[in-house]
Amino acid sequence: MNETDTKLPEHQAIYLQIRNMILFGSLVPGQAVTIQGLTDATGAGMTPVREAIRRLSAEGALEARGNRRVRVPELSLRDLEHISLVRLSVEPRLAALAADHMSEGCLDALQAYDAGVDAAIDSGNVESYLEHNYSFHFCLYDQADAQILNKIAAALWLRIGPSLRIVCGRYGTANLPDMHSEALSALRRSDGQAVARAIADDIRQGIDQVRLSLSE
């Protein structure tokens, strides 16, 4: 899944590029960055970078700090509990709905993303883990054909993704959440409730890791 396809309009491609920098931890919580710095990092002009910052700020993924700087917000334990509440309501439901619309092509893609997750965990490749884990979840959720729920889930991943990157850096990849095999088995049985349980357990494992990191 390559969201930064060169066929996209420039403003959308730059938005996705900066979004992925946040989502996969290239920009860490609390790290201030200038608009010029993002322009240099993306190789884009000032106008599409400003537009991307505006959109991401509206989504809560960036916050203005003055002097033409922005930063990824730092997550509090209170924020985490609110995110956990909504994720555990929305994402298992998306997974259950996806089970009703599953195709062989999607199952093959999910299997490939899960293999990427496993390889990243084994090799300790944090960036690859984050990217393949995200791809697995949203390949699954896209099958639900529930755009409103999908947008909610995507917004929440933007808020928690940078903190998960810190968890990976602190504790390594050995104990990262991965209930994907259980979800895939349930999908092959067309058991939507079991898929929802596997995804809920996967989310809880990740939330527990972030909670531990924030508590230290």
Side-chain angles (χ1 to χ4, degrees):
M1 183 167 58
N2 183 3
E3 293 182 303
T4 55
D5 192 320
T6 55
K7 294 180 182 179
L8 290 172
E10 183 187 19
H11 68 90
Q12 180 69 5
I14 297 308
Y15 162 79
L16 291 172
Q17 187 175 350
I18 297 175
R19 179 178 175 271
N20 286 349
M21 291 169 68
I22 298 167
L23 191 60
F24 304 134
S26 296
L27 299 175
V28 299
Q31 174 190 352
V33 61
T34 63
I35 297 173
Q36 184 62 54
L38 287 174
T39 300
D40 294 341
T42 58
M46 191 71 74
T47 298
V49 169
R50 286 183 182 277
E51 172 63 15
I53 289 171
R54 185 193 64 77
R55 290 178 62 184
L56 290 162
S57 297
E59 293 170 2
L62 288 173
E63 58 184 17
R65 301 301 295 171
N67 295 323
R68 299 164 64 87
R69 291 175 179 269
V70 293
R71 74 171 186 175
V72 176
E74 294 182 271
L75 198 66
S76 69
L77 283 169
R78 180 180 175 84
D79 294 333
L80 181 65
E81 296 313 314
H82 293 167
I83 289 170
S84 175
L85 175 67
V86 182
R87 287 191 67 196
L88 287 168
S89 298
V90 170
E91 292 181 50
R93 180 60 178 160
L94 279 168
L97 290 170
D100 294 333
H101 301 89
M102 191 52 53
S103 66
E104 284 299 322
C106 184
L107 276 173
D108 289 344
L110 290 168
Q111 188 70 57
Y113 289 135
D114 185 43
V117 168
D118 292 341
I121 289 174
D122 290 343
S123 66
N125 188 327
V126 171
E127 183 176 357
S128 180
Y129 168 82
L130 293 171
E131 291 181 358
H132 283 94
N133 186 53
Y134 177 88
S135 295
F136 180 94
H137 280 265
F138 281 90
C139 179
L140 175 62
Y141 301 159
D142 285 346
Q143 288 294 111
D145 192 25
Q147 291 186 5
I148 292 173
L149 295 181
N150 207 322
K151 286 182 178 179
I152 292 170
L156 293 173
W157 275 65
L158 263 178
R159 297 300 299 272
I160 201 168
S163 293
L164 187 57
R165 174 64 178 84
I166 291 175
V167 167
C168 295
R170 184 169 296 173
Y171 305 121
T173 58
N175 296 314
L176 288 173
D178 181 13
M179 297 293 291
H180 298 171
S181 294
E182 290 81 355
L184 283 167
S185 295
L187 286 168
R188 293 189 184 97
R189 302 193 305 271
S190 298
D191 187 343
Q193 290 187 346
V195 179
R197 286 195 298 271
I199 293 301
D201 288 343
D202 189 82
I203 292 168
R204 289 190 188 98
Q205 288 180 7
I207 292 289
D208 287 345
Q209 292 273 16
V210 175
R211 184 183 293 112
L212 178 63
S213 176
L214 292 177
S215 299
E216 291 184 348

